[in-house]
Amino acid sequence: MQLMKLALTAAIAFGACVPAHAQTEIQWWHSMSAALGDWVNDLAKQYNASQTKYKIVPTYKGTYDESMTAGIAAFRAGNAPHIIQVFEVGTATMMASKGAIVPAGKVMSDAGFKFDPTSYVSAVAGYYTAPNGQMLSYPLNSSTTIFYYNKDAFKKAGLDANKPPKTWPEVFEAASKLKASGHSCPFTTSWISWTQLESFSLWHNTLFASKNNGFDGTDAQLQINTPLHVRHFENLAKASKDGSFVYKGRGNAADASFPSGECAMITGSSGLYARVAKEAKFAYGISTLPYYADVKGAPQNTAIGGASLWVMAGKKAEEYKGVADFLNFLNDTKVQAASHQRTGYLPVTMGAYKLTEASGFYEKNPGTDVAVTQMIRKATDKSRGIRLGNFVQVRAIIDEETEQIWSGKKTPKEALDTAVTRGNEQLARFARANR
């Protein structure tokens, strides 16, 4: 009898440990670290707690470049994740990867979820949508380039803390005054190509590349050595020489220098807001990307940045249902609005923007609507975005060549001319491979 009781107790205990049904795991590779890594993990926890059928497993795979490379290698090896976060410069490459991806719009519609591209901010939907109107990837964290400044440093330099510089001449003038007040890093920038050439071009309604920045064909060529581009980099070179502009490195290496108080002004991603809000121990302001007032058509709208979620091919039907369910969760207006308010990334749907506006968030946090207003302007063919093949390699070339300017080894004209020549070789290689 005692043995029977023990056996029954063990059986009940074992049964309690076995779930009613096994959860389907969905692997999600991403590149979010620090405060943004916390956000991604919290999204996964929130979704997992909302239902019991699927489990999202987020995994940090390094920088955008590293995670994209890892994803491609994993697909070739047959062990790709279900979802991979790819930054915007990888869009054309992912689009050309026939057989490697399944359009996000198709995954959602196959699972029975309503998916309306017209509900999205047009600049966002247009960037990630194919000519046939099908959305190829889900815009998780769309950003754009904006301007941050240290109000305390401005006051110390005798500048109006409530009047951020709107034009580039005003930025350089403010940088000189900050330098004179003893600031060791008046102005810096992250993502030199994205902020100072890509968004710079669109903001001035000027082409970054031919074929309407690659949207009209893969046989595009760079156009970043025009008199306007050269003029801007001559101004940056002059500021670099006198110490009012400090180059902090490639990618987002400069990001940490602003919330730490080291640099007083920075042009960078709207997604930097999460870190600034969390770490800055000083009063700060957010403003629009500077421009040259004498350029006709400026300002227009800035370039989309950030990343989107691509669904990889070769998975089981049930797994795709889980992917669709998760994307539908991310698409919820309240989830969208909360993510926008927490991170500084764009609310990719107009509903999330309106909900945030109605909540009074923008009034309580001045400047947090800058990224949105920059992106919901009416885009022209020259300013709707940049979609080039081998864009990762092109950006690396731009980094290499512009670094020659800061070191004094090349003039801005020489560096930009060489960047165009070398970049066009990459574009031509991509065009040949994708005829």
Side-chain angles (χ1 to χ4, degrees):
M1 182 64 70
Q2 187 66 24
L3 286 173
M4 287 179 65
K5 286 181 178 179
L6 288 171
L8 182 60
T9 301
I12 292 172
F14 178 75
C17 293
V18 177
H21 62 272
Q23 285 185 310
T24 300
E25 286 197 354
I26 306 298
Q27 299 295 325
W28 173 20
W29 289 5
H30 67 87
S31 298
M32 300 283 91
S33 60
L36 293 175
D38 294 339
W39 164 61
V40 162
N41 289 329
D42 286 346
L43 279 177
K45 289 176 184 176
Q46 186 181 348
Y47 171 72
N48 291 339
S50 72
Q51 48 74 56
T52 58
K53 198 170 184 179
Y54 309 105
K55 182 181 180 181
I56 291 292
V57 182
T59 303
Y60 176 72
K61 297 298 285 188
T63 64
Y64 281 138
D65 293 37
E66 292 166 346
S67 62
M68 184 174 175
T69 301
I72 292 171
F75 176 77
R76 289 171 178 166
N79 58 358
H82 300 84
I83 304 170
I84 184 169
Q85 181 190 32
V86 178
F87 60 163
E88 89 285 0
V89 297
T91 299
T93 299
M94 295 299 286
M95 286 176 66
S97 301
K98 295 178 175 63
I101 61 104
V102 182
K106 181 179 186 304
V107 171
M108 292 189 74
S109 60
D110 285 352
F113 292 109
K114 186 178 180 181
F115 190 69
D116 181 13
T118 62
S119 67
Y120 287 77
V121 174
S122 60
V124 175
Y127 192 82
Y128 294 114
T129 301
N132 65 1
Q134 186 175 62
M135 190 168 278
L136 300 171
S137 60
Y138 182 81
L140 172 74
N141 57 309
S142 292
S143 63
T144 195
T145 48
I146 60 176
F147 182 84
Y148 299 87
Y149 69 103
N150 184 325
K151 289 188 172 184
D152 292 350
F154 264 49
K155 290 178 181 177
K156 183 181 176 182
L159 294 162
D160 188 341
N162 296 313
K163 189 179 179 183
K166 296 290 187 181
T167 67
W168 280 110
E170 289 173 351
V171 170
F172 295 124
E173 182 182 355
S176 294
K177 291 183 178 179
L178 286 160
K179 178 71 176 175
S181 72
H183 216 291
S184 62
C185 179
F187 169 62
T188 190
T189 186
S190 59
W191 301 105
I192 196 85
S193 176
W194 182 43
T195 61
Q196 306 306 316
L197 285 170
E198 297 163 36
S199 263
F200 176 87
S201 298
L202 271 58
W203 197 225
H204 289 87
N205 203 32
T206 300
L207 287 174
F208 176 86
S210 63
K211 294 285 180 176
N212 279 330
N213 293 320
F215 274 81
D216 294 347
T218 57
D219 54 335
Q221 293 194 320
L222 298 180
Q223 296 186 352
I224 56 173
N225 57 346
T226 70
L228 174 62
H229 294 102
V230 172
R231 165 190 170 189
H232 181 51
F233 272 79
E234 285 176 344
N235 289 334
L236 287 171
K238 182 180 177 182
S240 175
K241 192 172 182 179
D242 67 25
S244 55
F245 165 63
V246 180
Y247 176 67
K248 287 290 183 178
R250 301 182 185 185
N252 67 343
D255 281 1
S257 67
F258 181 74
S260 70
E262 179 188 355
C263 295
M265 300 184 292
I266 186 172
T267 47
S269 171
S270 58
L272 178 58
Y273 172 74
R275 188 169 184 177
V276 174
K278 183 178 181 180
E279 299 176 12
K281 306 300 182 186
F282 52 85
Y284 60 86
I286 304 172
S287 188
T288 52
L289 191 70
Y291 67 102
Y292 289 99
D294 61 337
V295 176
K296 187 178 180 180
Q300 182 55 46
N301 61 275
T302 46
I304 192 171
S308 63
L309 301 183
W310 291 80
V311 183
M312 304 303 288
K315 304 300 179 182
K316 297 176 182 178
E318 181 60 24
E319 293 169 341
Y320 282 127
K321 288 180 181 177
V323 170
D325 195 63
F326 178 55
L327 295 182
N328 188 59
F329 163 80
L330 294 176
N331 210 39
D332 181 83
T333 300
K334 291 181 180 178
V335 173
Q336 281 279 334
S339 289
H340 162 55
Q341 293 168 32
R342 176 173 176 173
T343 66
Y345 283 119
L346 296 169
V348 297
T349 63
M350 289 305 295
Y353 167 61
K354 291 176 181 176
L355 180 61
T356 301
E357 186 176 40
S359 73
F361 179 79
Y362 298 132
E363 290 182 16
K364 297 172 187 173
N365 302 275
T368 52
D369 62 336
V370 166
V372 185
T373 56
Q374 280 188 175
M375 289 300 290
I376 62 176
R377 294 167 184 261
K378 184 180 179 181
T380 69
D381 283 341
K382 293 178 181 179
S383 71
R384 60 176 164 163
I386 300 168
R387 189 188 284 170
L388 302 174
N390 288 349
F391 207 169
V392 175
Q393 294 89 327
V394 170
R395 271 194 177 174
I397 288 169
I398 289 172
D399 285 338
E400 292 169 5
E401 291 302 326
T402 53
E403 283 169 354
Q404 298 292 303
I405 300 173
W406 323 134
S407 65
K409 294 177 181 177
K410 286 186 178 181
T411 66
K413 178 93 168 53
E414 291 170 340
L416 293 178
D417 282 347
T418 307
V420 166
T421 300
R422 293 178 60 198
N424 284 344
E425 291 171 359
Q426 288 292 333
L427 297 181
R429 186 176 300 171
F430 182 82
R432 288 193 298 270
N434 293 280
R435 283 174 179 167

